[in-house]
Amino acid sequence: MSALLRFESLSKAWFGVPAVSDLTLEIAEGAALGLIGQNGAGKSTLMNMIGGVVEPTAGRMLWRGEPYAPARPADATAAGIAFIHQELNLFTNLSVAENLYIDGFPTRLGMIDRRAIRARTEEILARLDLAVSPDTIVGELSPGERQLVEIAKALHNEARLVIFDEPTTSLTPRETQRLFDVIGRLKAQGRTIIYISHILSDVARLCDAIAVLRDGLLVDSGPAEAFDVPRMIRSMIGRDLDGLFPPRTAAPGPTPLLEARGLTQPGVLEDVTVTVHAGEVVGLFGLMGAGRTELARILFGLDPVEAGEIRLDGAPLPAGPRGRIARGLAFVTENRREEGLMMEASIMDNLGLVSIRDFGRGPAGLIDRDALAARAEEARRDLSIKAGDIGRQPVKALSGGNQQKVVIGKWLMSAPRVFILDEPTRGVDVGAKFEIYALIDRIAAAGSGILLISSEIEELMGMADRIVVMSRGETTGALARRDFDRERILRMAFRETAA
Amino acid sequence: MSPLGARTLGRSPSEVALDLALRHATYLIFLAVILYFGIQSPAFLAPESLGNVVKQASFIGIAAIGMTFVLLTGGIDLSVGSVMYLAPLIAGFAMEAFGLGVPAGLVVAVCAGAVLGAINALFIVRFDVIPFIVTLATLFLFRGFGTWLTSSRQFDFAPEMRAFGLSSVLGIPTPILVFAVVALAAHVVLSRTPFGRQIYALGNDAEGARKAGVRVGVVKGSVYVVSSASAALAGFVLIAQIGRLDAAFGEGREFDVIAAAVLGGASLFGGVGSAWGAVIGATLIQTVKLGLVFAGVNLYLQPIMQGLIIFVAVLADSLRQRRIAISRRRHIRPSA
């Protein structure tokens, strides 16, 4: 077998931080390669380089022996590479046939040759055993059917390499089985597959070869027979923690602050129970799509929940975020650009956002700018936000780390009881990370509870008193600090019971 | 697993019926309105009065068809009212200066409209300014230019103009004929050509369209040319019926046009709408206007009725959008 795609010393760095480093690997024509690694291991960056979304900083790719440097996604499609993402790229208001042909319709007298596209689509759908009409609007299809339409698109484009990125996340078991049958058929036709998934047993079952990424490096690879699930997990973990985290200064108290019991929302959460005590940092670990953010949103009152109860200080919380903020809940979202900050507004205005009502004066509730400025200045010093004039400088002019401090600061000004921090150090450099960790410790030492959501196992092991692990919307385990063990945590996250 | 089973899984017949009703809210309202006025005053259902409705609807309707192209991409065109004024005015000057006939004048008006639309497109696509702001600016610019050209005086067309406006072909009034031709052409373009389908794709997911290799800039720019050209044609056809052009002609009409398109099912979020819908929307508004006259209702109630109907139709659209959003919410666990 010859190599269909080959990476030679391929590297990509974001502002000096390597995402993929010196990667050399080849995929044989007709083979199925399983690509695994923790979140942030570099899988997505690698895929984006193949797909023409991101340009490598060094190294090169060879496609069928020729140098391959896609400048845009269309180049990858033209070369014969197709992506089946978790978030599908289909136009839900167009028909199945139109989705296949959107980049180039056959025409007759300027009009789409509907008979031709219908016939060809029908033929491709038949190959996939998908019993829907080519004229069906995609929006009416189930997630599993949409995925097959995406695969139909790949077949239509004569893709030689089909890349699946977490394809089973939103599928039912039956749909998953059908997908695997289709993947088997693609292999039988001699097409090459890259399969990325957090479900390791699927990877072991579908793939001929396996490659493991960690921190952007290829740390292990070989034929699938040589890989059992424990070896996959062992390869994915491993990194020193010394000096990356400040010491924790206080031990958690015995009083439960936030108690969530039996939270269930069909399709999202199933019987989730979490407790956060005073002064405690509870780490919430899970892989992409485990339901961590969804749990946070439900706790904060942003999303509905069908069953279960949430209490703060022993009393049930009111519905909706407003009442919960008033009771002392704070939520730092994972997406600070879109949800956490007003990028154009000044640092001071952002800091004052949550506690603005405390600064209203007189019957009209006019804002006392001086009091706000004084309090904001205090917060700036407390948080050591590196900025000049906080009344004028817009937040967008700050670095990622300092922006994150502003987000945390705006909540701190309302003195919350429980902090929910969703990926607070994402996109933040190492130095600022340490400052954010120190801040977390201080908040806990002052007696507030913290629910720290993170995809980085090391971060949670460094900061949390207890780690709760989620997988597919359920809690699959919890460990106290003395029992922290990477392999155990990952196993819970992967739901692998093998010893 | 049957695909049909997957689609109807977990949906009761009443839910399916509600979805259907929401999707076709305008048609239901239309039916109700015609029935109501028909019962109130049977003369309303006579061919002449219904023909009159369509004839009067043609003005807003033609522009609404063009507007639908813009709305489909998720954009908006506020300048159509001013284009209705300026483009026929330019045509009038050209007819006067070069002694052009009415058909040639019509071509000049449409071309002038296309050029004005290209100005909108230039700023929206090239300079990446949001459509609302660009077309708000050109709303004032285009009318201001016309006012400057005429010193705000009325412009009188040659008598042939009026003859053209009141003419008919095979018993069908010319405005209705133009309306029908535009609607048919727009329908074919939107539903049968690559350009049309790419407009829908762009409105559904602009980033996805770019990734799929659609020339997003070209498609996005073209819809403003179509919209302005349609507005110019609409203006010319109505002016042809009047024979003169006042400085205030078309003022505020952008809202009637947008309302008609939205009433016809076009979504302001893009991706949803049709040429046929715009025809229905414009005709519905005109039906209500004329129906109220027939029913002898106080004329001043008319704007209230129009507002209420638009409100109900838009409410239905937003309810439908919400139901779609809920059904698309990301599921982590397979909900069996």
Side-chain angles (χ1 to χ4, degrees):
Chain A
M1 285 196 290
S2 61
L4 179 70
L5 180 62
R6 187 177 155 76
F7 311 116
E8 287 182 352
S9 308
L10 197 66
S11 302
K12 172 70 198 179
W14 297 104
F15 308 106
V17 181
V20 168
S21 323
D22 200 23
L23 180 83
T24 299
L25 178 70
E26 63 178 43
I27 300 149
E29 174 115 50
L33 173 77
L35 189 62
I36 56 175
Q38 292 192 52
N39 298 341
K43 293 168 296 178
S44 306
T45 307
L46 181 60
M47 290 310 114
N48 283 337
M49 287 193 278
I50 301 174
V53 179
V54 159
E55 223 179 304
T57 23
R60 62 173 189 162
M61 293 183 269
L62 293 176
W63 173 253
R64 305 171 70 189
E66 302 285 321
Y68 166 69
R72 61 185 73 80
D75 293 348
T77 308
I81 299 174
F83 287 85
I84 315 294
H85 288 287
Q86 177 183 332
E87 311 285 335
L88 301 175
N89 285 315
L90 293 174
F91 302 104
T92 49
N93 59 349
L94 299 184
S95 74
V96 173
E98 286 170 342
N99 264 285
L100 260 52
Y101 280 91
I102 191 68
D103 58 338
F105 285 100
T107 55
R108 283 171 65 175
L109 305 170
M111 290 208 269
I112 295 167
D113 187 346
R114 294 219 269 197
R115 201 179 310 161
I117 70 171
R118 198 177 290 143
R120 167 94 171 130
T121 307
E122 231 156 31
E123 179 221 322
I124 293 173
L125 293 180
R127 271 198 264 163
L128 294 172
D129 259 344
L130 182 56
V132 301
S133 151
D135 298 327
T136 314
I137 300 299
V138 166
E140 292 170 8
L141 299 177
S142 75
E145 290 168 328
R146 290 186 199 189
Q147 194 148 52
L148 290 176
V149 171
E150 194 82 70
I151 296 172
K153 216 163 101 183
L155 293 180
H156 165 65
N157 290 329
E158 300 293 347
R160 293 167 149 267
L161 172 63
V162 185
I163 299 174
F164 292 88
D165 191 352
E166 295 290 351
T168 58
T169 313
S170 47
L171 302 192
T172 64
R174 286 176 84 169
E175 287 176 324
T176 303
Q177 189 49 51
R178 180 151 73 151
L179 174 71
F180 290 171
D181 291 346
V182 167
I183 291 176
R185 233 173 294 168
L186 293 178
K187 276 166 69 178
Q189 292 167 8
R191 291 178 213 269
T192 309
I193 310 275
I194 295 181
Y195 190 86
I196 301 172
S197 177
H198 284 320
I199 303 172
L200 301 180
S201 48
D202 289 351
V203 176
R205 175 172 147 206
L206 289 170
C207 299
D208 314 312
I210 284 170
V212 187
L213 292 183
R214 188 208 307 151
D215 297 331
L217 293 164
L218 179 69
V219 289
D220 201 359
S221 66
E225 301 89 66
F227 272 89
D228 50 8
V229 168
R231 175 171 166 193
M232 293 189 206
I233 292 180
R234 273 199 308 278
S235 300
M236 283 168 18
I237 55 182
R239 184 159 41 154
D240 282 331
L241 304 184
D242 299 340
L244 286 176
F245 301 96
R248 291 294 310 280
T249 50
T255 346
L257 279 182
L258 181 71
E259 296 166 278
R261 226 183 288 282
L263 297 181
T264 298
Q265 171 71 15
V268 181
L269 294 185
E270 181 67 37
D271 194 21
V272 170
T273 295
V274 180
T275 307
V276 181
H277 297 84
E280 187 182 31
V281 178
V282 176
L284 189 59
F285 183 74
L287 304 159
M288 219 76 94
R292 297 163 303 167
T293 298
E294 286 75 5
L295 171 62
R297 289 178 61 89
I298 285 173
L299 288 177
F300 197 58
L302 290 168
D303 285 341
V305 64
E306 202 176 81
E309 62 165 358
I310 307 170
R311 289 165 170 272
L312 188 64
D313 293 323
L317 281 170
R322 257 180 82 90
R324 296 190 185 183
I325 292 170
R327 287 280 303 277
L329 217 53
F331 183 26
V332 174
T333 61
E334 76 185 310
N335 193 339
R336 61 174 172 268
R337 236 162 219 288
E338 279 164 30
E339 293 173 29
L341 287 174
M342 307 181 289
M343 297 308 283
E344 305 288 335
S346 74
I347 297 168
M348 185 174 101
D349 286 343
N350 271 286
L351 281 172
L353 202 57
V354 176
S355 51
I356 195 81
R357 296 168 66 87
D358 301 343
F359 296 98
R361 298 286 182 269
L366 296 178
I367 303 300
D368 182 347
R369 300 283 300 177
D370 293 338
L372 176 60
R375 184 74 188 81
E377 179 56 33
E378 213 175 290
R380 186 194 71 81
R381 254 182 290 122
D382 263 6
L383 299 164
S384 59
I385 296 169
K386 291 169 192 66
D389 182 353
I390 58 166
R392 259 194 247 138
Q393 193 172 345
V395 160
K396 67 172 179 191
L398 294 176
S399 71
N402 281 303
Q403 284 179 5
Q404 190 63 282
K405 287 188 219 163
V406 173
V407 180
I408 297 174
K410 76 171 183 189
W411 289 106
L412 269 184
M413 283 176 61
S414 70
R417 314 268 296 136
V418 174
F419 247 112
I420 303 170
L421 302 174
D422 195 356
E423 302 282 3
T425 62
R426 177 180 291 171
V428 166
D429 64 79
V430 183
K433 265 187 185 176
F434 192 89
E435 289 178 39
I436 289 172
Y437 295 142
L439 190 58
I440 290 173
D441 178 61
R442 259 169 51 207
I443 296 168
S448 294
I450 290 177
L451 185 65
L452 175 62
I453 301 174
S454 176
S455 307
E456 285 188 46
I457 239 181
E458 291 77 14
E459 178 168 294
L460 296 180
M461 291 174 64
M463 290 309 299
D465 298 302
R466 202 151 53 84
I467 294 179
V468 175
V469 184
M470 286 184 78
S471 172
R472 296 214 129 194
E474 293 173 44
T475 42
T476 50
L479 290 175
R481 191 171 180 95
R482 60 177 180 281
D483 300 325
F484 283 178
D485 176 77
R486 269 178 258 206
E487 207 167 321
R488 272 179 81 180
I489 296 170
L490 266 186
R491 239 187 240 138
M492 288 176 192
F494 281 111
R495 292 202 165 188
E496 300 293 351
T497 42
Chain B
M1 177 176 68
S2 91
L4 224 147
R7 260 187 295 291
T8 49
L9 203 75
R11 294 173 77 217
S12 64
S14 65
E15 276 183 86
V16 174
L18 178 63
D19 273 351
L20 235 98
L22 287 176
R23 195 176 307 174
H24 300 105
T26 301
Y27 296 88
L28 293 178
I29 296 171
F30 202 176
L31 211 69
V33 164
I34 289 191
L35 277 176
Y36 175 77
F37 288 129
I39 293 164
Q40 290 280 307
S41 145
F44 180 70
L45 297 179
E48 308 89 77
S49 52
L50 288 182
N52 228 345
V53 167
V54 179
K55 186 174 158 189
Q56 291 178 15
S58 66
F59 167 54
I60 293 301
I62 292 169
I65 291 168
M67 180 66 73
T68 299
F69 279 70
V70 173
L71 296 181
L72 275 171
T73 65
I76 196 156
D77 187 351
L78 298 178
S79 69
V80 288
S82 298
V83 172
M84 285 170 175
Y85 167 66
L86 180 57
L89 181 67
I90 292 171
F93 280 126
M95 287 159 82
E96 208 173 57
F98 307 112
L100 298 178
V102 178
L106 186 143
V107 172
V108 172
V110 172
C111 290
V115 170
L116 298 176
I119 294 174
N120 283 333
L122 176 76
F123 282 98
I124 290 163
V125 176
R126 252 306 148 241
F127 302 116
D128 215 16
V129 185
I130 60 166
F132 187 96
I133 298 298
V134 170
T135 57
L136 182 66
T138 52
L139 179 157
F140 291 107
L141 275 174
F142 293 163
R143 183 165 299 278
F145 188 63
T147 316
W148 175 67
L149 280 179
T150 57
S151 310
S152 198
R153 273 192 299 271
Q154 155 184 334
F155 182 90
D156 292 300
F157 284 84
E160 302 89 66
M161 184 73 169
R162 195 126 195 277
F164 169 79
L166 301 177
S167 67
S168 57
V169 181
L170 301 172
I172 304 167
T174 308
I176 294 185
L177 209 62
V178 174
F179 190 19
V181 168
V182 170
L184 193 70
H187 174 74
V188 169
V189 167
L190 283 179
S191 63
R192 297 293 179 90
T193 67
F195 171 60
R197 300 323 283 168
Q198 288 177 346
I199 290 176
Y200 280 86
L202 174 64
N204 187 247
D205 179 358
E207 184 54 28
R210 201 180 61 82
K211 278 191 195 159
V214 173
R215 293 196 299 168
V216 172
V218 175
V219 175
K220 204 170 165 182
S222 306
V223 295
Y224 291 91
V225 175
V226 170
S227 169
S228 282
S230 307
L233 181 60
F236 192 87
V237 169
L238 182 60
I239 290 158
Q241 294 168 60
I242 309 167
R244 61 181 160 75
L245 183 48
D246 299 321
F249 181 82
E251 220 162 44
R253 289 311 186 142
E254 52 277 354
F255 296 110
D256 292 352
V257 172
I258 294 167
V262 170
L263 209 47
S267 163
L268 292 173
F269 302 106
V272 183
S274 66
W276 176 236
V279 172
I280 294 290
T283 313
L284 173 55
I285 290 180
Q286 205 54 45
T287 307
V288 174
K289 283 187 177 172
L290 219 70
L292 289 172
V293 174
F294 266 82
V297 176
N298 181 343
L299 264 185
Y300 296 111
L301 278 177
Q302 196 187 285
I304 296 179
M305 290 297 289
Q306 191 178 335
L308 281 178
I309 285 173
I310 291 169
F311 185 76
V312 170
V314 174
L315 188 72
D317 179 53
S318 124
L319 282 178
R320 191 185 65 196
Q321 293 281 351
R322 253 178 66 179
R323 290 173 63 84
I324 292 172
I326 288 170
S327 75
R328 288 224 190 106
R329 188 163 288 166
R330 195 155 73 95
H331 279 209
I332 299 163
R333 303 170 51 80
S335 46

